[in-house]
Amino acid sequence: MKLQEIVGERIAYLRKEKKISQQKFSYEANLERTYLTHIEKGRKNISLSTLEKIIIALEITPEEFFNDKIFQKI
């Protein structure tokens, strides 16, 4: 599995865990909804600044984002 797919899955998981729709989340992260869909499906290789927007919109820290078993395998 590619890193961009792992990151996308993590974003989707955290968004769903917080019960935020893609539409609302894309607005809060200042990203196009279709772009967010591609990110979550691992089809886009995002920049660190885009990841930062996503983490801020999720209202978590970078440590919380990367604190998952899936990242420990990399």
Side-chain angles (χ1 to χ4, degrees), residues 9-20:
E9 283 184 13
R10 181 71 172 150
I11 292 166
Y13 172 81
L14 292 168
R15 177 184 61 76
K16 291 173 185 175
E17 187 177 69
K18 291 182 173 276
K19 297 180 170 76
I20 305 171

Side-chain angles (χ1 to χ4, degrees), residues 3 5 9 14 17-18 22 31 40 44-46 48 53 56 64 66-68 70:
L3 182 57
E5 292 170 341
E9 283 184 13
L14 292 168
E17 187 177 69
K18 291 182 173 276
Q22 272 192 342
L31 300 169
E40 289 186 352
K44 290 289 181 184
N45 187 10
I46 62 173
L48 290 176
K53 286 180 182 181
I56 290 168
E64 290 171 305
F66 289 106
N67 187 24
D68 190 82
I70 198 161

Side-chain angles (χ1 to χ4, degrees), residues 23-36:
Q23 187 68 36
K24 182 178 180 187
F25 186 65
S26 65
Y27 175 79
E28 290 176 5
N30 195 27
L31 300 169
E32 293 289 328
R33 189 196 55 76
T34 54
Y35 182 57
L36 179 61

